[in-house]
Amino acid sequence: MPRLTHACTPFDGQQPGTSGLRKKTRVFMQPGYVETFVQSTLNAIGGAAGKTFVVGGDGRYFNAEAIQTILRLAAANGAARVIVGQGGLLSTPAASNLIRQRGADGGLILSASHNPGGLDADFGLKYNISNGGPAPEAVTAAMYAETRTITEYHSLDSADLDLTQAGENSLDRMTVEIVDPVAEYAALMRKLFDFDRIRALIAGGFSLRFDAMHAVTGPYATAILQDELGAPKGSVLNAVPSVDFGKGHPDPNPIWAKPLVDMVMAPDGPDFAAASDGDGDRNMILGKGIYVTPSDSLAVLAANAHLVPGYARGLVGVARSMPTSTAADKVAAKLGIECFETPTGWKFFGNLLDAGRVTLCGEESAGTGSDHVREKDGLWAVLLWLNILAVRGMSVQAVLQDHWQTYGRNYYSRHDFEAIETGAANAMMAELVAKLPDLPGTAAGGSVVSAADQFCYHDPVDGSVSENQGIRIWFEDGHRAVLRLSGTGTEGATLRIYMDRYEPTTGDLAIDPGLALAGIAAAVAGISRLHAHTGRNEPDVIT
Ligand code: VG1
Ligand code: CO
């Protein structure tokens, strides 16, 4: 089969430290674009010769075409085998699991995660390493350097492969193994959880809904929750992946999954509801009449995981991203285990998980996971919740109330200001950084600043240092605000303001969360001169 070498133009690829390359779909569709990025990735990891890769995506627009391109490049670069999800589908956690189970050298996952899909929406591509996790900073930095200097890529002149049937095919000298995307993932879930117990809970009349948001978890949730655990047909909503996610925004939060939230808030709503995102790594958890913040979810799971077979030996430690509330810290303290605070992004958990320092990890952005894979895992979190509810025989609401009464409550919210003009956002952050040393002692929003800094992470495993990972402001009453710019948007800048207020068990545990955090929001708006810089007062999304 003719292998061809094509000239290509270098470009500014994935910024070092970001989770994959995310751009408008039309950018990815430019001739040679995917090829240039994939060749850069292969060059950065020392070539593809003799290697095995896992490839799959969330099914969004251009997923199928990009996979064919990746297969041709892998073959022309001498890869031995590519394991690809049937129909080109693999959720991010399932891809992570496959890389690990099959001892692959790495994987290419096609997704822009929670960003919308379609010709005029977003596309993404990320490289995961052999532990199954996102490429660490050293690898993304090498990939970035390659994209800026690359001059040629290697491909094949070959027809598209049919990816609809499981089995082995060959593309030139490379084996293409098409696998059921669900099977190995479901097997892992069966090992971790007490499926009989969850089945009995559901058979006893416990009702649930899972919103797959027209994205990749549809087939996974249908197979596991309905076919295997006995949830009635119709329990999984929006279960068929579509290229534009039903024109929706596959982001499992109270804004984009509002119909699901409305359902659990209704008097005749289900006992439990959950949703996942485009690529299946996020989760939103709801109970009848209640939304569980992701930060609380992590804490509740940490406190109860030992009730579940896969975690019966207890946890070695927990980790949370810096902006995530400190609820999990309280649990770790009580359990007498370590709690790590890492920068935003799952790749920072990789070393801690590989070194056996932590069992559970979580982020405020609806990401929870454990050492079973090296990505956050939406459906896993749902099953862990279900298993805990089955053992405790309590409602979501009762579990949460009990948790707050034991550990105190962290009122928590994130405000997102989207598509801000990039220059204005950068100017605001720069001004804030400059005045950090002067902030302590300043009165703001009815409180006084006690400390302020920029988060710098020292990885306790490999000693690497990651600077400028977000601005932290503490107030004398113990409240905390964090500001950072998103690394996953594709339009202008997105500013995220995170607010965390802890009330001990002796405090008021039933304040309206919006009211509880209003003072911090006002303080941050004042200190950052948010309106003067951005013209914004109200966030676009509140989670
Ligand atoms: C966001 C979240 C972060 C998450 C990342 C990838 O990043 O805040 O917690 O790890 O998305 O999630 P940022 O830089 O936009 O704040 V996923 O599900 O989009 O892979
Ligand atoms: Co995601």
Side-chain angles (χ1 to χ4, degrees):
M1 195 171 288
R3 293 180 196 211
L4 303 170
T5 296
H6 302 260
C8 63
T9 322
F11 68 104
D12 261 3
Q14 178 179 355
Q15 294 294 327
T18 55
S19 65
L21 181 68
R22 284 184 207 190
K23 298 278 180 197
K24 292 289 167 204
T25 309
R26 287 184 195 270
V27 172
F28 268 98
M29 290 172 73
Q30 296 171 93
Y33 191 89
V34 170
E35 289 87 340
T36 306
F37 183 63
V38 173
Q39 185 68 55
S40 299
T41 302
L42 298 179
N43 293 351
I45 59 165
K51 290 183 178 169
T52 296
F53 298 104
V54 168
V55 175
D58 64 9
R60 70 180 62 217
Y61 190 91
F62 197 54
N63 189 67
E65 294 83 348
I67 288 183
Q68 298 291 343
T69 303
I70 292 170
L71 292 176
R72 287 189 193 102
L73 258 91
N77 280 276
R81 178 180 288 263
V82 169
I83 303 164
V84 47
Q86 199 173 348
L89 292 182
L90 276 179
S91 76
T92 287
S96 182
N97 181 47
L98 265 181
I99 294 170
R100 296 167 64 78
Q101 297 293 333
R102 303 294 302 273
D105 295 280
L108 284 147
I109 303 175
L110 303 90
S111 174
S113 193
H114 56 288
N115 297 18
L119 177 58
D120 290 306
D122 296 346
F123 193 79
L125 187 49
K126 65 176 171 178
Y127 182 71
N128 281 29
I129 58 172
S130 61
N131 74 350
E137 296 217 327
V139 178
T140 54
M143 287 161 61
Y144 179 69
E146 277 293 332
T147 58
R148 298 187 49 152
T149 53
I150 189 167
T151 54
E152 58 180 34
Y153 66 84
H154 312 289
S155 187
L156 291 182
D157 187 11
S158 62
D160 284 356
L161 273 189
D162 176 7
L163 300 179
T164 58
Q165 302 300 323
E168 290 202 351
N169 299 270
S170 50
L171 186 58
D172 198 15
R173 274 166 274 168
M174 181 178 88
T175 303
V176 178
E177 180 185 347
I178 302 165
V179 298
D180 175 348
V182 179
E184 292 214 26
Y185 179 82
L188 176 63
M189 296 301 116
R190 241 172 258 132
K191 265 192 245 160
L192 295 173
F193 301 114
D194 187 343
F195 271 27
D196 288 339
R197 200 139 190 184
I198 302 175
R199 207 176 284 122
L201 175 78
I202 294 171
F206 180 93
S207 57
L208 67 91
R209 295 284 182 281
F210 179 91
D211 190 347
M213 304 190 84
H214 305 276
V216 78
T217 48
Y220 295 84
T222 304
I224 295 172
L225 298 175
Q226 291 187 181
D227 300 348
E228 191 153 355
L229 295 172
K233 273 205 171 62
S235 300
V236 180
L237 310 168
N238 304 314
V240 180
S242 77
V243 290
D244 63 357
F245 307 120
K247 306 216 179 316
H249 213 117
D251 194 352
N253 64 39
I255 309 290
W256 298 113
K258 188 166 184 302
L260 191 73
V261 178
D262 290 346
M263 207 181 277
V264 290
M265 295 304 167
D268 58 348
D271 297 307
F272 178 89
S276 190
D277 70 332
D279 61 332
D281 56 0
R282 296 187 178 205
N283 71 91
M284 174 174 70
I285 302 292
L286 302 150
K288 199 190 277 298
I290 196 160
Y291 161 69
V292 183
T293 70
S295 294
D296 273 348
S297 180
L298 174 65
V300 168
L301 296 180
N304 293 281
H306 63 279
L307 302 172
V308 168
Y311 306 93
R313 281 176 306 161
L315 310 178
V316 290
V318 295
R320 60 164 176 84
S321 69
M322 181 274 284
T324 304
S325 96
T326 57
D329 305 38
K330 289 13 184 225
V331 177
K334 193 157 191 164
L335 292 174
I337 57 175
E338 275 192 294
C339 181
F340 297 89
E341 185 176 48
T342 59
T344 294
W346 208 261
K347 62 177 172 293
F348 290 104
F349 296 133
N351 280 342
L352 293 168
L353 290 163
D354 284 351
R357 301 277 295 267
V358 298
T359 313
L360 290 196
C361 312
E363 294 192 275
E364 52 63 42
S365 54
T368 336
S370 86
D371 56 1
H372 70 292
V373 288
R374 292 294 180 274
E375 288 276 8
K376 52 190 185 268
D377 188 345
L379 199 48
W380 165 89
V382 170
L383 292 167
L384 183 49
W385 262 97
L386 289 174
N387 199 152
I388 289 167
L389 293 174
V391 173
R392 295 194 61 179
M394 288 159 75
S395 69
V396 174
Q397 179 127 30
V399 167
L400 209 55
Q401 296 288 349
D402 175 62
H403 188 89
W404 294 336
Q405 269 146 28
T406 310
Y407 298 95
R409 175 173 183 182
N410 282 79
Y411 292 97
Y412 187 85
S413 187
R414 182 178 103 186
H415 289 182
D416 293 338
F417 300 82
E418 296 177 339
I420 300 175
E421 200 267 305
T422 309
N426 289 337
M428 192 192 101
M429 295 301 272
E431 182 184 292
L432 192 52
V433 167
K435 69 181 181 197
L436 286 180
D438 304 325
L439 281 183
T442 325
S447 187
V448 176
V449 175
S450 58
D453 71 1
Q454 283 203 85
F455 180 50
C456 172
Y457 180 60
H458 295 259
D459 188 308
V461 179
D462 68 10
S464 60
V465 177
S466 304
E467 290 179 326
N468 308 335
Q469 298 295 322
I471 294 172
R472 308 188 285 187
I473 303 172
W474 289 271
F475 299 90
E476 281 183 350
D477 40 22
H479 306 172
R480 182 186 74 156
V482 172
L483 293 92
R484 56 178 286 280
L485 297 180
S486 155
T488 60
T490 56
E491 260 176 70
T494 295
L495 168 69
R496 305 201 196 284
I497 300 180
Y498 312 78
M499 290 155 286
D500 185 12
R501 162 179 173 176
Y502 177 66
E503 282 295 325
T505 52
T506 50
D508 186 350
L509 302 180
I511 317 171
D512 171 80
L515 287 178
L517 300 167
I520 310 180
V524 175
I527 293 171
S528 64
R529 301 202 310 121
L530 174 68
H531 186 261
H533 281 290
T534 67
R536 306 286 180 89
N537 279 319
E538 296 304 319
D540 299 288
V541 179
I542 298 180
T543 49

